[in-house]
Coordinates of all heavy atoms in Angstrom, one line a residue:
P298 N 76.6 78.1 87.3 CA 76.8 77.0 86.3 C 78.3 76.7 86.1 O 79.2 77.5 86.5 CB 76.2 77.6 85.0 CG 76.2 79.1 85.3 CD 76.1 79.3 86.7
D299 N 78.5 75.5 85.5 CA 79.9 75.0 85.4 C 80.8 76.0 84.7 O 82.0 76.1 85.0 CB 79.9 73.7 84.7 CG 79.3 72.6 85.5 OD1 79.2 72.8 86.8 OD2 78.9 71.5 85.0
K300 N 80.3 76.6 83.6 CA 81.2 77.5 82.8 C 81.6 78.7 83.7 O 82.8 79.1 83.7 CB 80.5 78.0 81.6 CG 81.3 78.9 80.7 CD 80.6 79.2 79.4 CE 81.5 80.0 78.4 NZ 80.8 80.4 77.2
A301 N 80.7 79.2 84.5 CA 81.1 80.4 85.4 C 82.0 79.9 86.5 O 82.9 80.7 86.9 CB 79.8 81.0 86.0
L302 N 81.8 78.7 87.0 CA 82.7 78.2 88.0 C 84.1 78.0 87.5 O 85.1 78.2 88.2 CB 82.2 76.8 88.6 CG 81.0 76.9 89.5 CD1 80.6 75.5 89.9 CD2 81.4 77.7 90.8
S303 N 84.3 77.6 86.2 CA 85.6 77.5 85.6 C 86.3 78.8 85.6 O 87.5 78.9 85.8 CB 85.5 76.9 84.1 OG 85.0 75.6 84.1
R304 N 85.6 79.9 85.2 CA 86.2 81.2 85.3 C 86.6 81.6 86.7 O 87.7 82.2 86.9 CB 85.1 82.2 84.7 CG 85.7 83.6 84.6 CD 84.6 84.6 84.4 NE 83.7 84.7 85.5 CZ 83.9 85.2 86.7 NH1 85.0 85.9 86.9 NH2 83.0 85.2 87.6
V305 N 85.8 81.3 87.7 CA 86.1 81.6 89.0 C 87.4 80.9 89.5 O 88.3 81.5 90.1 CB 84.9 81.2 90.0 CG1 85.4 81.2 91.5 CG2 83.7 82.1 89.8
R306 N 87.5 79.6 89.1 CA 88.7 78.8 89.5 C 89.9 79.4 88.8 O 91.0 79.5 89.5 CB 88.5 77.4 89.1 CG 87.5 76.6 89.9 CD 87.6 75.1 89.7 NE 87.3 74.7 88.3 CZ 86.1 74.4 87.9 NH1 85.0 74.4 88.8 NH2 85.8 74.1 86.7
L307 N 89.8 79.8 87.6 CA 91.0 80.3 86.9 C 91.4 81.7 87.3 O 92.6 82.0 87.5 CB 90.7 80.3 85.4 CG 91.8 80.8 84.4 CD1 93.0 79.9 84.6 CD2 91.3 80.9 83.0
Q308 N 90.4 82.6 87.5 CA 90.8 84.0 87.8 C 90.7 84.4 89.2 O 91.4 85.4 89.6 CB 89.8 84.9 87.0 CG 89.9 84.6 85.5 CD 88.9 85.5 84.7 OE1 88.2 86.3 85.3 NE2 89.0 85.4 83.4
E309 N 90.0 83.7 90.1 CA 89.8 84.2 91.4 C 90.4 83.3 92.5 O 90.4 83.6 93.7 CB 88.3 84.4 91.7 CG 87.8 85.5 90.7 CD 86.3 85.9 91.1 OE1 86.1 86.2 92.2 OE2 85.5 85.9 90.2
I310 N 90.8 82.1 92.1 CA 91.4 81.1 93.1 C 92.7 80.6 92.6 O 92.8 80.1 91.5 CB 90.4 79.9 93.4 CG1 89.0 80.5 93.8 CG2 90.9 79.0 94.4 CD1 87.9 79.4 93.9
G311 N 93.7 80.6 93.5 CA 95.0 80.0 93.2 C 95.2 78.7 94.0 O 95.0 78.7 95.2
F312 N 95.5 77.7 93.3 CA 95.7 76.4 93.9 C 97.2 76.0 94.0 O 97.9 76.1 93.0 CB 95.0 75.3 93.1 CG 93.5 75.4 93.0 CD1 92.9 76.2 92.0 CD2 92.7 74.8 94.0 CE1 91.5 76.3 91.9 CE2 91.3 75.0 93.9 CZ 90.7 75.7 92.9
I313 N 97.6 75.5 95.2 CA 98.9 74.9 95.3 C 98.7 73.5 95.8 O 98.1 73.2 96.9 CB 99.7 75.7 96.4 CG1 99.8 77.2 96.1 CG2 101.2 75.1 96.5 CD1 100.3 78.0 97.2
M314 N 99.2 72.5 95.0 CA 98.8 71.1 95.2 C 100.0 70.4 96.0 O 101.1 70.9 96.2 CB 98.5 70.4 93.9 CG 97.5 71.2 93.1 SD 96.0 71.7 93.9 CE 95.2 70.1 94.1
Q315 N 99.7 69.1 96.3 CA 100.7 68.3 97.0 C 102.0 68.2 96.2 O 103.1 68.3 96.8 CB 100.2 66.9 97.2 CG 99.0 66.8 98.2 CD 98.6 65.4 98.5 OE1 99.4 64.5 98.4 NE2 97.3 65.2 98.8
S316 N 101.9 67.9 94.9 CA 103.1 67.9 94.1 C 102.9 69.2 93.2 O 101.8 69.6 93.0 CB 103.2 66.7 93.2 OG 102.0 66.5 92.4
S317 N 104.0 69.7 92.7 CA 104.0 71.0 92.0 C 103.2 70.9 90.7 O 102.7 72.0 90.3 CB 105.4 71.4 91.7 OG 106.1 70.5 91.0
N318 N 103.1 69.7 90.1 CA 102.3 69.6 88.9 C 102.8 70.6 87.8 O 101.9 71.1 87.1 CB 100.8 69.8 89.1 CG 100.2 68.6 90.0 OD1 100.7 67.5 89.9 ND2 99.2 69.0 90.8
L319 N 104.1 70.7 87.7 CA 104.6 71.6 86.7 C 104.6 70.9 85.3 O 104.7 69.7 85.2 CB 106.0 72.0 87.0 CG 106.2 72.8 88.3 CD1 107.7 73.1 88.5 CD2 105.3 74.0 88.4
V320 N 104.4 71.7 84.3 CA 104.4 71.1 82.9 C 105.9 70.8 82.5 O 106.7 71.7 82.5 CB 103.8 72.1 81.9 CG1 103.8 71.5 80.5 CG2 102.4 72.4 82.3
P321 N 106.3 69.6 82.3 CA 107.7 69.2 82.1 C 108.4 69.9 81.0 O 109.6 70.1 81.1 CB 107.6 67.7 81.9 CG 106.2 67.4 81.5 CD 105.4 68.4 82.1
Y322 N 107.7 70.3 79.9 CA 108.4 70.9 78.8 C 108.4 72.5 78.8 O 108.8 73.1 77.8 CB 107.8 70.4 77.5 CG 106.3 70.6 77.3 CD1 105.7 71.8 76.9 CD2 105.5 69.5 77.7 CE1 104.4 71.9 76.8 CE2 104.1 69.6 77.6 CZ 103.5 70.8 77.1 OH 102.2 71.0 77.0
L323 N 107.9 73.1 79.9 CA 107.9 74.5 80.0 C 108.9 75.0 81.0 O 109.0 74.4 82.1 CB 106.5 75.0 80.4 CG 105.4 74.9 79.4 CD1 104.1 75.4 80.0 CD2 105.7 75.5 78.1
N324 N 109.6 76.1 80.7 CA 110.5 76.6 81.8 C 109.8 77.3 82.8 O 108.5 77.5 82.7 CB 111.6 77.5 81.1 CG 111.1 78.7 80.5 OD1 110.1 79.4 81.0 ND2 111.7 79.2 79.4
V325 N 110.5 77.8 83.9 CA 109.8 78.3 85.0 C 108.9 79.5 84.7 O 107.8 79.6 85.1 CB 110.9 78.7 86.1 CG1 110.2 79.6 87.2 CG2 111.5 77.4 86.7
L326 N 109.5 80.5 83.9 CA 108.7 81.6 83.5 C 107.5 81.3 82.7 O 106.3 81.8 82.9 CB 109.5 82.6 82.7 CG 108.8 83.9 82.3 CD1 108.2 84.7 83.4 CD2 109.8 84.8 81.5
D327 N 107.6 80.3 81.8 CA 106.5 79.9 80.9 C 105.4 79.2 81.7 O 104.3 79.1 81.3 CB 107.0 79.1 79.8 CG 107.7 79.9 78.7 OD1 107.5 81.1 78.7 OD2 108.5 79.3 77.9
Q328 N 105.8 78.5 82.8 CA 104.8 77.9 83.7 C 103.7 79.0 84.1 O 102.5 78.7 84.1 CB 105.4 77.3 84.9 CG 106.5 76.3 84.7 CD 106.0 74.9 84.3 OE1 104.8 74.6 84.5 NE2 106.8 74.1 83.8
L329 N 104.2 80.2 84.4 CA 103.4 81.2 84.9 C 102.6 81.9 83.7 O 101.4 82.2 83.8 CB 104.2 82.3 85.6 CG 104.4 82.1 87.1 CD1 105.3 80.8 87.3 CD2 105.1 83.3 87.7
L330 N 103.3 82.1 82.6 CA 102.7 82.7 81.5 C 101.6 81.8 80.8 O 100.7 82.4 80.2 CB 103.8 83.1 80.4 CG 104.8 84.1 80.9 CD1 105.8 84.4 79.8 CD2 104.1 85.4 81.4
L331 N 101.7 80.5 81.0 CA 100.7 79.6 80.5 C 99.4 79.9 81.2 O 98.3 79.9 80.6 CB 101.1 78.2 80.8 CG 100.0 77.1 80.4 CD1 99.7 77.2 78.9 CD2 100.5 75.7 80.8
V332 N 99.4 80.2 82.5 CA 98.2 80.6 83.2 C 97.6 81.9 82.7 O 96.4 82.0 82.5 CB 98.5 80.7 84.8 CG1 97.2 81.1 85.5 CG2 99.0 79.4 85.3
K333 N 98.5 82.8 82.4 CA 98.0 84.1 81.8 C 97.3 83.9 80.4 O 96.3 84.4 80.1 CB 99.1 85.1 81.7 CG 99.7 85.5 83.0 CD 98.7 86.1 84.0 CE 98.0 87.3 83.5 NZ 97.1 87.9 84.5
K334 N 98.0 83.0 79.6 CA 97.4 82.7 78.3 C 96.0 82.0 78.4 O 95.1 82.3 77.6 CB 98.4 81.7 77.5 CG 99.6 82.4 77.1 CD 100.6 81.4 76.4 CE 101.9 82.1 76.1 NZ 102.9 81.1 75.6
M335 N 95.8 81.2 79.4 CA 94.5 80.6 79.6 C 93.5 81.6 79.9 O 92.3 81.4 79.7 CB 94.6 79.5 80.7 CG 95.5 78.3 80.3 SD 95.8 77.2 81.7 CE 94.2 76.6 82.1

């Protein structure tokens, strides 16, 4: 189901996209910590 797939995407698959898609107002370390917070 969709909820379980969301968990799989967040915890078991790492995505690297064409553009970095960084959050403009977060510094480099916080870009990573945001993923951990999610």
